[in-house]
């Protein structure tokens, strides 16, 4: 870079061999932890730390200055990587845990004492980027990472008029496709809509596809049969949808038992984001959005391998290289988000990614930041698979047998993982390994309760009254 800065763009704090200034944490304990991090990372640049741990340079600057507390999982991994001698590593790990616990406790006391001091100027090294303004920043080369760290600059890719001219065989989700015509249902009946969901928002298919059931709620212990048969379920603000009701097409629940209407053809995958339902074509060659009535669907993108829907929007992975993109709201317009990951999951606010080696979980920062170098940040340590919803982020442990809840920047074991995990508004539902029991975890009491079973599969969402 030019202009007299270091390669990190972070001043002397990012250049090996030059000491960072005194810690600037809000407590003595935060400063002690920052000094320890500085000691462990002595001689390592912010750029090198960002590339090794997939945490942005700005964040590393704040960890080393004491302005933010480094997550314990990341701190322990840092100590392990930077301390080859086993005896020293054991001692350093004890010290790291002690300093981290003291800093967390002091931060809690400090927060209770009153509001924080004004933040440093946004232009100072190691501070949080300034809030977005109405004027978009100039585009520049940036690094996005979920797994491998890459240098890229990818914007919203095409307008509909241009996309329509591209060949349908392209392997980019933004390329190719035709806009299907819409209209009445295939049997000539008037167009139908999905019914808004009421009740618990917890649904199951019986063993061998026999029956679609809705849980009646805590204390009831019963399930109401709302359909005769199905293969898979999807539930969300857009309604309840199923395949295998009558044939392989997609059917919408009409709001009363036995009332189902076909709204689409078969698909390789479906996803719900808000009031929108998305379909991946059987050959995975195109993505479509339901127009909300009848069997009318609109083309919105080209080839994809999987769809992810939730509060932050619709995301899809590229079938060629696994990169993940976000749908920008208009046909053919997709924004590059990050490189390939072993898994992704959406809460009501955030997208999380699991690195290909499953060694760490990172969180997508956009649109929280416009700093092109700070699109992903460390969230938690190793995981087997990710699950998320309005109740937060959950994962299995690396063995796949235990279920953990993500809270206070760390994983907390809550019980067996089971065959399926579904995250609702405030609670989590698990179908046991033998599929004979459906169990509910209540975070308010940290207890599990059997609510039904057996079942073949589950689907949950946040109902109108919340759950």
């Amino acid at each position: 870079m030019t202009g007299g800065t270091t390669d990190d763009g972070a001043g002397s704090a990012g250049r090996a061999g030059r000491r960072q200034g005194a810690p600037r944490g809000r407590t003595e304990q935060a400063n002690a932890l920052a000094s320890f991090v500085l000691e462990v990372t002595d001689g390592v640049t912010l750029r090198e730390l960002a590339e090794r741990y997939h945490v942005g340079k700005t964040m590393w600057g704040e960890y080393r200055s004491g302005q933010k507390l480094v997550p314990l999982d990341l701190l322990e991994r840092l100590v392990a990587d930077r301390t080859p001698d086993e005896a020293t590593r054991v001692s350093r790990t004890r010290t790291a845990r002690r300093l981290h616990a003291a800093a967390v406790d002091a931060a809690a006391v400090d927060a209770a004492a009153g509001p924080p001091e004004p933040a440093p100027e946004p232009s100072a090294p190691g501070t949080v980027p300034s809030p977005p303004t109405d004027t978009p920043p100039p585009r520049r080369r940036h690094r996005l990472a979920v797994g491998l760290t890459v240098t890229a600059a990818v914007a919203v890719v095409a307008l509909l008029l241009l996309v329509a001219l591209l060949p349908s065989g392209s392997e980019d989700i933004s390329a190719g496709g035709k806009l299907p015509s819409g209209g009445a249902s295939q049997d000539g009946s008037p167009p139908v809509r999905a019914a808004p969901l009421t009740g618990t928002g917890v649904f199951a298919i019986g063993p061998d596809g026999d029956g679609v059931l809705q849980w009646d709620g805590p204390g009831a212990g019963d399930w109401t049969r709302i359909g005769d048969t199905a293969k898979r379920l999807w539930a969300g603000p857009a309604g309840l949808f199923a395949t295998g009701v009558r044939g392989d097409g997609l059917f919408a629940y009409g709001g009363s038992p036995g009332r189902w209407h076909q709204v689409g053809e078969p698909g390789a995958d479906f996803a719900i984001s808000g009031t929108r339902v998305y379909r991946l074509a059987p050959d995975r060659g195109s993505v479509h959005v339901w127009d909300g009535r009848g069997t009318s669907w609109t083309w919105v993108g080209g080839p994809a391998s999987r769809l992810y829907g939730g509060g932050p929007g619709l995301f899809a992975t590229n079938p060629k290289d696994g990169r993940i993109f976000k749908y920008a709201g208009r046909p053919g317009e997709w924004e590059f988000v990050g490189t390939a990951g072993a898994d992704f999951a959406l809460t009501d606010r955030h997208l999380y990614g699991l690195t290909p080696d499953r060694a760490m979980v990172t969180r997508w920062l956009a649109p929280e930041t416009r700093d092109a170098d700070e699109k992903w940040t460390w969230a938690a340590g190793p995981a087997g698979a990710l699950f998320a919803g309005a109740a937060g982020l959950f994962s299995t442990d690396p063995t796949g047998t235990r279920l953990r809840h993500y809270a206070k920047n760390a994983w907390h074991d809550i019980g067996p993982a089971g065959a399926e995990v579904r995250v609702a508004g405030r609670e989590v539902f698990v179908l046991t390994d033998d599929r004979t029991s459906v169990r509910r975890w209540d975070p308010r009491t940290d207890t599990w309760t059997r609510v039904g079973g057996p079942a073949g599969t589950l689907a949950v969402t946040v109902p109108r009254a919340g759950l």
Side-chain angles (χ1 to χ4, degrees):
M1 294 180 66
T2 60
T5 64
T6 70
D7 290 339
D8 288 333
S12 61
R15 179 179 297 168
R18 296 184 63 182
R19 299 296 299 174
Q20 181 166 317
R24 303 190 300 278
R26 287 183 51 82
T27 67
E28 293 181 4
Q29 292 82 356
N31 289 337
L33 179 61
S35 297
F36 178 79
V37 173
L38 270 173
E39 176 188 340
V40 175
T41 60
D42 186 38
V44 185
T45 66
L46 296 180
R47 182 180 298 279
E48 290 168 341
L49 289 169
E51 292 177 351
R52 175 68 180 86
Y53 299 100
H54 306 296
V55 176
K57 293 180 296 183
T58 297
M59 194 71 74
W60 273 114
E62 291 172 333
Y63 293 157
R64 302 210 301 189
S65 69
Q67 292 170 287
K68 286 190 177 180
L69 303 184
V70 59
L72 183 57
D73 283 344
L74 179 57
L75 179 60
E76 290 179 343
R77 187 177 180 196
L78 181 67
V79 169
D81 290 348
R82 297 285 299 164
T83 316
D85 178 69
E86 183 176 357
T88 305
R89 184 168 60 250
V90 170
S91 176
R92 264 188 170 181
T93 300
R94 286 200 204 98
T95 301
R97 291 171 178 169
R98 175 176 54 80
L99 292 173
H100 188 273
V104 170
D105 290 343
V109 173
D110 182 70
E117 297 291 333
E121 291 297 322
S123 59
T127 59
V128 178
S130 56
T133 62
D134 293 336
T135 303
R139 296 198 178 277
R140 54 192 176 101
R141 298 178 68 192
H142 59 285
R143 195 159 48 249
L144 298 175
V146 175
L148 301 176
T149 303
V150 297
T151 301
V154 183
V156 174
V157 289
L159 294 174
L160 176 60
L161 293 177
L162 296 177
V163 171
L165 301 177
L166 295 175
S168 60
S170 171
E171 293 194 6
D172 192 325
I173 192 171
S174 60
K178 297 180 180 180
L179 298 179
S181 59
S185 302
Q186 293 177 341
D187 60 3
S189 60
V192 297
R193 298 177 183 270
L197 296 179
T198 58
T200 63
V202 180
F203 304 90
I205 297 176
D208 300 321
D210 181 18
V212 181
L213 310 168
Q214 181 175 13
W215 183 45
D216 294 337
D222 293 326
W223 293 67
T224 297
R225 190 181 181 97
I226 61 174
D228 291 333
T229 185
K231 292 181 179 178
R232 293 186 62 189
L233 296 174
W234 291 265
L240 176 66
F241 298 82
T243 57
V245 174
R246 291 188 295 273
D248 294 328
L250 184 69
F251 287 74
Y253 178 50
S256 58
R259 188 176 182 184
W260 294 83
H261 308 282
Q262 185 167 3
V263 297
E265 296 302 312
D269 196 11
F270 295 92
I272 297 176
S273 176
T275 58
R276 297 288 188 178
V277 182
Y278 298 88
R279 168 183 170 269
L280 180 60
D283 63 357
R284 302 184 186 273
S286 57
V287 179
H288 303 257
V289 62
W290 185 40
D291 294 337
R293 56 184 296 165
T295 57
S296 176
W297 293 73
T298 297
W299 177 92
V300 297
S305 57
R306 186 173 174 185
L307 304 181
Y308 298 87
L314 175 71
F315 297 78
T317 51
N318 185 292
K320 185 175 181 180
D321 55 21
R323 290 178 301 157
I324 187 167
F325 292 78
K326 181 184 179 184
Y327 178 49
R330 293 186 179 183
E333 295 188 3
W334 294 78
E335 174 190 357
F336 173 64
V337 170
T339 55
D343 199 4
F344 296 96
L346 292 160
T347 66
D348 57 347
R349 296 179 56 199
H350 298 297
L351 168 69
Y352 290 88
L354 179 61
T355 54
D357 60 1
R358 301 181 188 271
M360 71 179 79
V361 177
T362 55
R363 177 169 61 88
W364 187 48
L365 292 174
E368 299 172 21
T369 176
R370 290 198 172 184
D371 187 332
D373 283 332
E374 307 293 339
K375 292 297 186 182
W376 291 86
T377 187
W378 168 284
L386 301 181
F387 310 93
L393 178 67
F394 298 79
S395 80
T396 57
D397 67 353
T399 70
T401 60
R402 303 294 298 180
L403 184 63
R404 291 102 51 88
H405 179 213
Y406 177 65
K408 298 181 179 179
N409 298 319
W411 293 121
H412 302 274
D413 188 288
I414 60 173
E420 290 187 5
V421 178
R422 298 291 183 263
V423 183
R426 290 193 300 264
E427 300 166 321
V428 176
F429 293 80
V430 167
L431 181 60
T432 56
D433 281 323
D434 59 6
R435 298 184 184 270
T436 62
S437 179
V438 179
R439 299 179 63 81
R440 177 187 61 151
W441 179 69
D442 187 339
R444 292 161 291 192
T445 58
D446 192 20
T447 57
W448 287 91
T449 306
R450 187 182 188 277
V451 298
T457 189
L458 303 176
V460 303
T461 186
V462 181
R464 281 183 168 181
L467 177 63

